[in-house]
Amino acid sequence: MQLGDSRTGKLADNIAGFGRALRRAGVRVDSSRIVLATRAAMAVGLERKEDVSAAMEAVFVTREQDRLVFRELFDTYFRNPEIAQKLLSQLLPSAEGKAEPSKRRPRVREALSPQKSFGQQAKPKQEDQKVEFDAAMTASDIRRLHHADFNALSGTEYRLVERLARDIRLPLPTYDSRRTRPGPGGTRPHWQRALRRAVRHGGELMELPQLSRREQPLPLMVLVDVSGSMERYTRLLLAFLHAATRHHRRRDVFAFGTRLTDLTPAFRLADTDDMLVAANELIADFAGGTQLGASLQALQQDHARRLVGRRTLVLIVSDGLDTGEPTALSESLAWLRRRCGRLLWLNPLLRFEGYAPLARGAAALHTHAHGMLAVHNLSKLEDLAASIAAVLRR
């Protein structure tokens, strides 16, 4: 591995350029971390690339969702001594030609793409002068992002889509509770109010007020897959669910990967960004495997009382790529279906035409769920409330 000679300043320049690339990829990097990363690299020595990578990863990565981005960008950036110079040259007014096609993550691809200088950006067209989001995006850009798959977004687009998702509401169906309130169109007389009004008229009963049942939204329980295959969907869907169900009184949220994590305390926070920070601290198995069966068994043992009166609407957000025992998963899903009102599977893999749940976990989910809905772009999130209502009517 060749990072350059620290006596001539190449090591510091290379790490500073790498830090700027990480920042463009959406990783939180400041000047103090760059200095600390340089010291960490010198402390472990430059003989082994793995040691330098681990030392810099410990400094730069503070969120689990940034770990895989760091590793891929590190391998690309320090593959040979000329790459650092090429990337540093992107900060100059002129850049080299297009990079060869690759299958890198969108955040890494955006960080490695050439950047135009301030004076070289194309002037906006006359019809694109009108902007509707953060003074940066045109209406056509927003329409395109509404139909763009979350997994295909660059780092900048991902952050914009996450902000747009927070404005989407999720009005849940309601049911008639046992509690009543005075109102027209009721089915029971309100005798107390009727007698009080009769006293005002000398004991004459002039009208007969009615009592109607209160309408309450269905209790909601959400189980979100935080495995590696769901990495690009988890954070965005958590932000959407937090903002969309902000005023929902009965809301329980769990994350599952190799274990079950209760995110309900984090969801009680008013600010969505604070919720995401708290959730990141609670989830210890982010980007790992998926064992939904074991997680549902933990739900049955420790949180079964969260399922209210067989009315609870349960949403499982997962791609169904389960690595656990299929028998345990089927038994747990059968128990969950018996204890809830409706069990809906929100599957991002429905973005593929002709998708069929052939995996063992996906087949078990498809068998026990009352319906399967797509959640891979903003347009599907906007239609989610209507899709849930249609499934409940069936």
Side-chain angles (χ1 to χ4, degrees), residues 62-133:
T62 59
R63 300 179 301 177
E64 187 63 32
Q65 59 264 32
D66 296 333
R67 192 174 304 279
L68 297 179
V69 174
F70 170 88
R71 293 176 180 176
E72 184 174 344
L73 187 58
F74 183 91
D75 292 338
T76 304
Y77 197 96
F78 295 114
R79 186 170 300 163
N80 59 65
E82 297 180 358
I83 287 185
Q85 298 300 328
K86 291 183 179 180
L87 292 174
L88 288 175
S89 67
Q90 293 174 2
L91 302 176
L92 299 176
S94 60
E96 295 187 8
K98 296 182 179 179
E100 58 182 8
S102 64
K103 296 183 180 180
R104 301 188 182 103
R105 299 173 185 272
R107 292 169 61 183
V108 177
R109 188 166 58 248
E110 182 185 35
L112 297 176
S113 61
Q115 300 294 299
K116 294 182 179 180
S117 64
F118 179 77
Q120 289 186 331
Q121 296 182 359
K123 296 182 179 180
K125 299 179 181 179
Q126 186 68 25
E127 60 271 16
D128 291 338
Q129 290 293 328
K130 181 181 178 181
V131 293
E132 297 181 2
F133 182 76

Side-chain angles (χ1 to χ4, degrees), residues 199-213:
V199 171
R200 302 174 188 173
H201 299 89
E204 189 72 25
L205 188 62
M206 304 296 294
E207 57 178 328
L208 187 60
Q210 301 291 322
L211 286 173
S212 60
R213 289 192 174 187

Side-chain angles (χ1 to χ4, degrees), residues 295-307:
S295 300
L296 290 180
Q297 289 177 352
L299 179 70
Q300 181 178 357
Q301 295 173 4
D302 302 329
H303 307 285
R305 299 184 65 181
R306 304 278 189 96
L307 299 167

Side-chain angles (χ1 to χ4, degrees), residues 223-376:
L223 302 171
V224 182
D225 189 347
V226 294
S227 62
S229 58
M230 290 287 295
E231 177 190 0
R232 292 286 287 174
Y233 300 92
T234 298
R235 175 184 172 88
L236 197 147
L237 290 175
L238 285 177
F240 158 71
L241 291 169
H242 179 267
T245 62
R246 188 186 309 275
H247 303 293
H248 199 74
R249 295 179 58 187
R250 295 180 176 179
R251 175 187 61 176
D252 294 288
V253 183
F254 296 88
F256 68 90
T258 57
R259 51 178 289 189
L260 186 71
T261 304
D262 187 2
L263 298 183
T264 305
F267 265 67
R268 294 195 185 104
L269 300 175
D271 185 73
T272 301
D273 292 323
D274 294 340
M275 181 277 298
L276 292 173
V277 173
N280 185 66
E281 295 176 353
L282 291 173
I283 299 174
D285 55 343
F286 187 87
T290 306
Q291 295 185 5
L292 179 56
S295 300
L296 290 180
Q297 289 177 352
L299 179 70
Q300 181 178 357
Q301 295 173 4
D302 302 329
H303 307 285
R305 299 184 65 181
R306 304 278 189 96
L307 299 167
V308 183
R310 295 186 180 179
R311 289 196 183 97
T312 305
L313 173 63
V314 178
L315 305 179
I316 297 182
V317 185
S318 175
D319 52 12
L321 303 180
D322 190 78
T323 59
E325 186 63 32
T327 303
L329 176 59
S330 297
E331 293 176 354
S332 299
L333 287 173
W335 167 84
L336 183 59
R337 180 178 174 124
R338 291 193 302 267
R339 291 295 300 269
C340 70
R342 285 293 185 272
L343 175 61
L344 301 183
W345 178 20
L346 310 185
N347 185 4
L349 292 184
L350 287 178
R351 67 186 185 273
F352 297 115
E353 185 177 356
Y355 166 78
L358 301 179
R360 294 181 301 179
L365 276 169
H366 186 263
T367 301
H368 294 89
H370 292 92
M372 181 169 56
L373 306 175
V375 286
H376 58 276

